[in-house]
Amino acid sequence: NVTFSSHFDQTTELIEQIIQGRPIRRVRFRLLFDLRVDFPWANSLALSSTPILDLRIVCMRGPIMTLMQILTAVFTRLAQLEVLQVLCVSPSRSVTTFPDSAFKELGIYLAPLHHLYHITIRTGEPFDDLQSVLLEWGVACPTLRAVRVSQDVTWYRRGDEWESLPVHDETLD
């Protein structure tokens, strides 16, 4: 039973039926093991009668290419997005690592997002050179003000610099 309001919180199977023509502003969903390259849920996000401003995805942690495809699918369809949160969960510890260079490359996809001010991408592993990733993203997306890549720290932009502050809550914002 799904309650219709200004948000959607489900798995991907119902996205099109629920969102189409409704004023949905916040979407939360879980991607299960059956990730397909075409991501049929991505086109369904554009069917809301109002722009989606807040998107939160929980996905099984897989290859970096899959994560980049998910993010690209989101960035190319939701130009008015303000908040994006992606939490990658892993059933085991033996998973391919995500290189910093891949995250730096996301900057080109952030550029058209003129309203994005907060991004959380938690993959469960530390960045080797987070400062250069933050600088790249900040240049690409001038509206970006907060980035969270770990469970315990959020980075806030102050001018051209990024400052970290501890997070006291262990949940995804």
Side-chain angles (χ1 to χ4, degrees), residues 33-50:
F33 289 104
D34 63 341
L35 293 178
R36 291 177 284 180
V37 175
D38 62 341
F39 302 120
W41 53 266
N43 288 329
S44 299
L45 293 174
L47 299 176
S48 173
S49 64
T50 58

Side-chain angles (χ1 to χ4, degrees), residues 74-154:
V74 168
F75 295 157
T76 56
R77 289 168 176 83
L78 300 178
Q80 295 186 359
L81 194 64
E82 295 177 352
V83 176
L84 173 65
Q85 297 185 352
V86 179
L87 175 60
C88 299
V89 295
S90 176
S92 71
R93 292 275 184 209
S94 58
V95 179
T96 306
T97 60
F98 297 144
D100 292 359
S101 60
F103 285 102
K104 282 184 193 176
E105 292 171 15
L106 280 179
I108 62 172
Y109 299 104
L110 294 176
L113 301 177
H114 301 292
H115 304 280
L116 186 70
Y117 67 85
H118 179 102
I119 187 167
T120 295
I121 300 180
R122 293 194 17 218
T123 62
E125 63 186 55
F127 282 74
D128 294 325
D129 188 10
L130 181 57
Q131 280 296 325
S132 66
V133 172
L134 293 172
L135 290 173
E136 186 81 26
W137 289 3
V139 168
C141 184
T143 58
L144 189 61
R145 296 286 171 243
V147 174
R148 186 171 177 191
V149 293
S150 72
Q151 185 171 323
D152 54 352
V153 175
T154 299

Side-chain angles (χ1 to χ4, degrees), residues 35-77:
L35 293 178
R36 291 177 284 180
V37 175
D38 62 341
F39 302 120
W41 53 266
N43 288 329
S44 299
L45 293 174
L47 299 176
S48 173
S49 64
T50 58
I52 293 174
L53 305 177
D54 184 340
L55 179 63
R56 299 163 193 226
I57 303 170
V58 176
C59 59
M60 296 306 294
R61 186 163 166 217
I64 184 66
M65 188 60 175
T66 304
L67 177 61
M68 293 305 155
Q69 289 171 331
I70 291 169
L71 294 173
T72 302
V74 168
F75 295 157
T76 56
R77 289 168 176 83

Side-chain angles (χ1 to χ4, degrees), residues 9 30 84 155 170:
D9 186 358
R30 293 170 292 286
L84 173 65
W155 291 82
E170 292 188 14

